[in-house]
Amino acid sequence: MAVVSRHSTLAETVPKDSEDYIQLANSSSSEGEDNECNDDEPVIVTGNNTHKRKADDGDEDGEPQAEVYQKCYNGQPVPPWLIGMRRLGHGKTPDISEIINEEVTKFVDYISPTPEEHQMRVWVIERMQRILDNMKMIAVTPVAKCFGSFETRLYLPTSDIDMTIMLYREGTTKVAASYQTKEAIRRYLFTLARELKRAGFCQKCEVIAHARVPIIKTHEMVTGIAVDISINADSGVQSAGVQRSFSERVYPHSLRAIVLAIKQFLAQRSMNEVYTGGMGSYAITLLAVSMLQMHPRILSGGLDIAKNLGVLLIEFFELYGKR
């Protein structure tokens, strides 16, 4: 089996009809770089053409693909979700919307968390709960709950875990009276930060005590996964329920793909951190849902959402970034 990593060295040649490629990744090539491409012949690639990020990938039966192009139309390397694939679209002159839709579909398939990646995050949450249990608080039961992109399954491999620690009165599901003020929450954050370092959960914690929602920002030491910890922020759990309802019931075959592509676009530009002025999953989901709800062709039944993901992605940027 031929294994292709995210940083694979790519071949140097590109065929004339590779102009059919649309690349979602950052593109910074100049005209001079474009002219350096060799337009004479396609590169022949053999081996497994499956490029999902799966730990259990194995050899597959079937003939290897030939005439697999290794560069985009502008001379940039093919993004990893297209490496080893045939030219997108069907026929000699495929429809551009079909090409974009196929690339968005392949991107989402590639970027979706593997079972191993998801289990690592579950382990981080369980480890946090064990630390909370060992703190032995008097008449208070701390419970670690997740919300945000982890809970909604709308996270990228590099996304952090949004977690809130609910400090319940022992034996109930009501927040303890002694932890209902911001000052009490701030003090607990500093106590928790010291305990996390003592228990070896992380090496350092950043306590952002005077934000609208005070949080701890840290990285779990074994997995390196970023974790944002708030206290008694149950509104985030409720918001996650709204997102899951839209992505799993209302738009089950389209919303997740659009949101993940937008999240990657923002992450590449450092515009995905809410506390620095970026946009989180919840805001992106609501913007995408609003667009889908008001789209005239969707309302009239003249547009199949699942077959026009690329077009809708472009219309999202046009609607909110231009109009």
Side-chain angles (χ1 to χ4, degrees):
M1 177 182 77
V3 179
V4 183
S5 70
R6 295 187 185 209
H7 305 288
S8 299
T9 302
L10 302 176
E12 295 297 326
T13 56
V14 60
K16 291 180 180 179
D17 55 357
S18 62
E19 293 183 2
D20 289 334
Y21 277 118
I22 300 295
Q23 183 172 335
L24 290 181
N26 276 339
S27 176
S28 58
S29 63
S30 64
E31 292 181 3
E33 291 173 334
D34 293 343
N35 294 334
E36 291 177 2
C37 296
N38 184 349
D39 293 12
D40 294 334
E41 59 182 1
V43 175
I44 307 302
V45 175
T46 60
N48 190 342
N49 68 333
T50 300
H51 295 284
K52 296 179 183 179
R53 299 172 306 102
K54 308 296 182 186
D56 57 351
D57 274 348
D59 293 328
E60 295 181 359
D61 297 330
E63 293 298 323
Q65 289 188 353
E67 297 184 356
V68 177
Y69 305 124
Q70 294 293 295
K71 286 199 176 180
C72 294
Y73 73 97
N74 60 357
Q76 288 289 296
V78 165
W81 52 90
L82 293 182
I83 293 176
M85 300 293 180
R86 288 184 182 275
R87 187 187 67 184
L88 298 178
H90 302 283
K92 292 184 178 180
T93 56
D95 186 86
I96 190 69
S97 63
E98 183 181 358
I99 294 173
I100 301 174
N101 186 77
E102 189 173 354
E103 176 160 2
V104 171
T105 302
K106 284 184 168 61
F107 166 76
V108 172
D109 185 49
Y110 175 82
I111 212 72
S112 294
T114 65
E116 292 78 14
E117 287 172 334
H118 186 73
Q119 192 57 41
M120 277 185 2
R121 290 166 183 266
V122 171
W123 179 81
V124 170
I125 298 164
E126 291 173 348
R127 187 181 184 196
M128 172 64 72
Q129 186 61 57
R130 288 194 295 271
I131 292 173
L132 293 173
D133 293 340
N134 290 334
M135 291 177 71
K136 294 182 169 48
M137 300 175 67
I138 299 175
V140 175
T141 303
V143 179
K145 291 188 176 183
C146 282
F147 59 97
S149 58
F150 173 81
E151 180 62 23
T152 60
R153 305 299 188 267
L154 293 172
Y155 63 90
L156 302 172
T158 55
S159 294
D160 57 15
I161 296 176
D162 295 307
M163 184 185 303
T164 187
I165 308 300
M166 300 301 299
L167 301 175
Y168 293 131
R169 192 168 68 236
E170 192 170 17
T172 72
T173 55
K174 294 183 178 180
V175 174
S178 55
Y179 291 99
Q180 291 184 354
T181 66
K182 272 201 170 183
E183 187 57 37
I185 288 173
R186 291 190 186 107
R187 287 198 302 268
Y188 181 77
L189 281 175
F190 285 105
T191 301
L192 179 59
R194 288 193 297 270
E195 183 63 22
L196 291 177
K197 287 186 283 188
R198 190 198 67 77
F201 182 88
C202 57
Q203 289 185 322
K204 58 182 180 179
C205 294
E206 179 185 3
V207 180
I208 305 175
H210 296 286
R212 185 175 65 85
V213 178
I215 62 170
I216 294 174
K217 294 185 73 68
T218 188
H219 288 78
E220 197 279 324
M221 193 151 45
V222 176
T223 63
I225 295 174
V227 184
D228 289 357
I229 307 167
S230 59
I231 307 299
N232 295 335
D234 57 349
S235 61
V237 179
Q238 296 169 11
S239 300
V242 174
Q243 285 180 272
R244 292 197 71 163
S245 177
F246 278 122
S247 64
E248 295 176 4
R249 299 188 188 126
V250 184
Y251 301 106
H253 305 297
S254 55
L255 183 61
R256 183 171 181 272
I258 294 172
V259 170
L260 283 177
I262 296 167
K263 287 191 67 170
Q264 177 64 21
F265 176 89
L266 294 174
Q268 287 178 245
R269 292 156 178 80
S270 300
M271 296 168 64
N272 60 327
E273 284 284 1
V274 176
Y275 86 105
T276 58
M279 289 179 62
S281 292
Y282 188 57
I284 295 170
T285 300
L286 294 185
L287 289 174
V289 167
S290 178
M291 183 192 73
L292 295 174
Q293 287 177 336
M294 297 188 298
H295 198 294
R297 290 186 62 196
I298 294 176
L299 290 174
S300 66
L303 184 71
D304 187 337
I305 301 178
K307 294 182 179 178
N308 290 276
L309 296 176
V311 171
L312 290 169
L313 178 62
I314 292 173
E315 289 183 346
F316 178 93
F317 291 125
E318 183 180 28
L319 174 63
Y320 294 112
K322 190 175 180 181
R323 295 184 184 175

PDB file of all heavy atoms in Angstrom, residues 166-181:
ATOM      1  N   MET A 166     -19.360  21.894  36.018  1.00  0.00           N
ATOM      2  CA  MET A 166     -20.583  22.210  36.751  1.00  0.00           C
ATOM      3  C   MET A 166     -20.374  21.840  38.229  1.00  0.00           C
ATOM      4  O   MET A 166     -20.077  20.681  38.552  1.00  0.00           O
ATOM      5  CB  MET A 166     -21.774  21.457  36.174  1.00  0.00           C
ATOM      6  CG  MET A 166     -22.071  21.772  34.712  1.00  0.00           C
ATOM      7  SD  MET A 166     -22.403  23.520  34.403  1.00  0.00           S
ATOM      8  CE  MET A 166     -23.854  23.783  35.421  1.00  0.00           C
ATOM      9  N   LEU A 167     -20.508  22.828  39.108  1.00  0.00           N
ATOM     10  CA  LEU A 167     -20.315  22.613  40.546  1.00  0.00           C
ATOM     11  C   LEU A 167     -21.687  22.466  41.205  1.00  0.00           C
ATOM     12  O   LEU A 167     -22.306  23.446  41.642  1.00  0.00           O
ATOM     13  CB  LEU A 167     -19.534  23.784  41.143  1.00  0.00           C
ATOM     14  CG  LEU A 167     -18.144  24.001  40.526  1.00  0.00           C
ATOM     15  CD1 LEU A 167     -17.493  25.258  41.082  1.00  0.00           C
ATOM     16  CD2 LEU A 167     -17.249  22.785  40.753  1.00  0.00           C
ATOM     17  N   TYR A 168     -22.158  21.230  41.240  1.00  0.00           N
ATOM     18  CA  TYR A 168     -23.501  20.949  41.752  1.00  0.00           C
ATOM     19  C   TYR A 168     -23.492  20.791  43.271  1.00  0.00           C
ATOM     20  O   TYR A 168     -22.511  20.296  43.858  1.00  0.00           O
ATOM     21  CB  TYR A 168     -24.059  19.669  41.135  1.00  0.00           C
ATOM     22  CG  TYR A 168     -24.336  19.763  39.654  1.00  0.00           C
ATOM     23  CD1 TYR A 168     -23.871  18.779  38.776  1.00  0.00           C
ATOM     24  CD2 TYR A 168     -25.075  20.822  39.126  1.00  0.00           C
ATOM     25  CE1 TYR A 168     -24.143  18.848  37.415  1.00  0.00           C
ATOM     26  CE2 TYR A 168     -25.347  20.899  37.764  1.00  0.00           C
ATOM     27  CZ  TYR A 168     -24.879  19.911  36.912  1.00  0.00           C
ATOM     28  OH  TYR A 168     -25.137  19.988  35.579  1.00  0.00           O
ATOM     29  N   ARG A 169     -24.591  21.214  43.876  1.00  0.00           N
ATOM     30  CA  ARG A 169     -24.795  20.897  45.286  1.00  0.00           C
ATOM     31  C   ARG A 169     -24.925  19.391  45.411  1.00  0.00           C
ATOM     32  O   ARG A 169     -25.623  18.753  44.626  1.00  0.00           O
ATOM     33  CB  ARG A 169     -26.058  21.612  45.795  1.00  0.00           C
ATOM     34  CG  ARG A 169     -26.196  21.576  47.318  1.00  0.00           C
ATOM     35  CD  ARG A 169     -27.270  22.513  47.829  1.00  0.00           C
ATOM     36  NE  ARG A 169     -28.590  22.050  47.429  1.00  0.00           N
ATOM     37  CZ  ARG A 169     -29.458  22.780  46.746  1.00  0.00           C
ATOM     38  NH1 ARG A 169     -29.129  23.995  46.330  1.00  0.00           N
ATOM     39  NH2 ARG A 169     -30.654  22.309  46.447  1.00  0.00           N
ATOM     40  N   GLU A 170     -24.242  18.813  46.357  1.00  0.00           N
ATOM     41  CA  GLU A 170     -24.154  17.349  46.476  1.00  0.00           C
ATOM     42  C   GLU A 170     -25.537  16.700  46.483  1.00  0.00           C
ATOM     43  O   GLU A 170     -26.430  17.108  47.223  1.00  0.00           O
ATOM     44  CB  GLU A 170     -23.396  16.980  47.753  1.00  0.00           C
ATOM     45  CG  GLU A 170     -23.002  15.512  47.827  1.00  0.00           C
ATOM     46  CD  GLU A 170     -22.064  15.230  48.967  1.00  0.00           C
ATOM     47  OE1 GLU A 170     -21.973  16.087  49.880  1.00  0.00           O
ATOM     48  OE2 GLU A 170     -21.433  14.171  48.977  1.00  0.00           O
ATOM     49  N   GLY A 171     -25.694  15.712  45.592  1.00  0.00           N
ATOM     50  CA  GLY A 171     -26.935  14.979  45.514  1.00  0.00           C
ATOM     51  C   GLY A 171     -28.002  15.629  44.659  1.00  0.00           C
ATOM     52  O   GLY A 171     -29.120  15.114  44.568  1.00  0.00           O
ATOM     53  N   THR A 172     -27.672  16.755  44.022  1.00  0.00           N
ATOM     54  CA  THR A 172     -28.645  17.446  43.166  1.00  0.00           C
ATOM     55  C   THR A 172     -27.987  17.803  41.835  1.00  0.00           C
ATOM     56  O   THR A 172     -26.803  17.536  41.615  1.00  0.00           O
ATOM     57  CB  THR A 172     -29.151  18.748  43.827  1.00  0.00           C
ATOM     58  OG1 THR A 172     -28.087  19.723  43.801  1.00  0.00           O
ATOM     59  CG2 THR A 172     -29.571  18.512  45.265  1.00  0.00           C
ATOM     60  N   THR A 173     -28.779  18.416  40.960  1.00  0.00           N
ATOM     61  CA  THR A 173     -28.245  18.950  39.698  1.00  0.00           C
ATOM     62  C   THR A 173     -28.422  20.468  39.666  1.00  0.00           C
ATOM     63  O   THR A 173     -28.587  21.066  38.610  1.00  0.00           O
ATOM     64  CB  THR A 173     -28.962  18.316  38.490  1.00  0.00           C
ATOM     65  OG1 THR A 173     -30.381  18.522  38.627  1.00  0.00           O
ATOM     66  CG2 THR A 173     -28.653  16.850  38.364  1.00  0.00           C
ATOM     67  N   LYS A 174     -28.361  21.069  40.851  1.00  0.00           N
ATOM     68  CA  LYS A 174     -28.430  22.524  40.976  1.00  0.00           C
ATOM     69  C   LYS A 174     -27.068  23.064  41.372  1.00  0.00           C
ATOM     70  O   LYS A 174     -26.364  22.463  42.198  1.00  0.00           O
ATOM     71  CB  LYS A 174     -29.484  22.918  42.016  1.00  0.00           C
ATOM     72  CG  LYS A 174     -30.909  22.552  41.612  1.00  0.00           C
ATOM     73  CD  LYS A 174     -31.908  23.034  42.661  1.00  0.00           C
ATOM     74  CE  LYS A 174     -33.334  22.703  42.226  1.00  0.00           C
ATOM     75  NZ  LYS A 174     -34.339  23.167  43.219  1.00  0.00           N
ATOM     76  N   VAL A 175     -26.693  24.201  40.785  1.00  0.00           N
ATOM     77  CA  VAL A 175     -25.389  24.794  41.073  1.00  0.00           C
ATOM     78  C   VAL A 175     -25.308  25.186  42.549  1.00  0.00           C
ATOM     79  O   VAL A 175     -26.244  25.781  43.107  1.00  0.00           O
ATOM     80  CB  VAL A 175     -25.154  26.034  40.179  1.00  0.00           C
ATOM     81  CG1 VAL A 175     -23.855  26.734  40.576  1.00  0.00           C
ATOM     82  CG2 VAL A 175     -25.105  25.621  38.717  1.00  0.00           C
ATOM     83  N   ALA A 176     -24.189  24.848  43.175  1.00  0.00           N
ATOM     84  CA  ALA A 176     -23.994  25.171  44.587  1.00  0.00           C
ATOM     85  C   ALA A 176     -24.048  26.678  44.801  1.00  0.00           C
ATOM     86  O   ALA A 176     -23.467  27.443  44.029  1.00  0.00           O
ATOM     87  CB  ALA A 176     -22.660  24.609  45.069  1.00  0.00           C
ATOM     88  N   ALA A 177     -24.719  27.108  45.841  1.00  0.00           N
ATOM     89  CA  ALA A 177     -24.912  28.535  46.103  1.00  0.00           C
ATOM     90  C   ALA A 177     -23.586  29.267  46.276  1.00  0.00           C
ATOM     91  O   ALA A 177     -23.455  30.442  45.908  1.00  0.00           O
ATOM     92  CB  ALA A 177     -25.788  28.716  47.349  1.00  0.00           C
ATOM     93  N   SER A 178     -22.577  28.591  46.809  1.00  0.00           N
ATOM     94  CA  SER A 178     -21.288  29.245  47.061  1.00  0.00           C
ATOM     95  C   SER A 178     -20.480  29.487  45.788  1.00  0.00           C
ATOM     96  O   SER A 178     -19.428  30.125  45.840  1.00  0.00           O
ATOM     97  CB  SER A 178     -20.462  28.401  48.042  1.00  0.00           C
ATOM     98  OG  SER A 178     -20.326  27.079  47.556  1.00  0.00           O
ATOM     99  N   TYR A 179     -20.955  28.981  44.647  1.00  0.00           N
ATOM    100  CA  TYR A 179     -20.218  29.170  43.382  1.00  0.00           C
ATOM    101  C   TYR A 179     -21.114  29.815  42.314  1.00  0.00           C
ATOM    102  O   TYR A 179     -21.000  29.508  41.129  1.00  0.00           O
ATOM    103  CB  TYR A 179     -19.693  27.832  42.878  1.00  0.00           C
ATOM    104  CG  TYR A 179     -18.589  27.266  43.738  1.00  0.00           C
ATOM    105  CD1 TYR A 179     -18.863  26.293  44.688  1.00  0.00           C
ATOM    106  CD2 TYR A 179     -17.288  27.737  43.624  1.00  0.00           C
ATOM    107  CE1 TYR A 179     -17.863  25.776  45.500  1.00  0.00           C
ATOM    108  CE2 TYR A 179     -16.279  27.230  44.419  1.00  0.00           C
ATOM    109  CZ  TYR A 179     -16.568  26.250  45.349  1.00  0.00           C
ATOM    110  OH  TYR A 179     -15.569  25.755  46.160  1.00  0.00           O
ATOM    111  N   GLN A 180     -21.952  30.729  42.729  1.00  0.00           N
ATOM    112  CA  GLN A 180     -22.835  31.387  41.777  1.00  0.00           C
ATOM    113  C   GLN A 180     -22.404  32.812  41.443  1.00  0.00           C
ATOM    114  O   GLN A 180     -22.991  33.451  40.580  1.00  0.00           O
ATOM    115  CB  GLN A 180     -24.275  31.390  42.311  1.00  0.00           C
ATOM    116  CG  GLN A 180     -24.890  30.002  42.347  1.00  0.00           C
ATOM    117  CD  GLN A 180     -26.351  30.021  42.777  1.00  0.00           C
ATOM    118  OE1 GLN A 180     -26.878  31.056  43.158  1.00  0.00           O
ATOM    119  NE2 GLN A 180     -27.004  28.871  42.713  1.00  0.00           N
ATOM    120  N   THR A 181     -21.370  33.302  42.113  1.00  0.00           N
ATOM    121  CA  THR A 181     -20.875  34.648  41.820  1.00  0.00           C
ATOM    122  C   THR A 181     -19.602  34.558  40.989  1.00  0.00           C
ATOM    123  O   THR A 181     -18.867  33.562  41.043  1.00  0.00           O
ATOM    124  CB  THR A 181     -20.579  35.424  43.112  1.00  0.00           C
ATOM    125  OG1 THR A 181     -19.485  34.788  43.805  1.00  0.00           O
ATOM    126  CG2 THR A 181     -21.805  35.450  44.006  1.00  0.00           C
TER     127      THR A 181
END
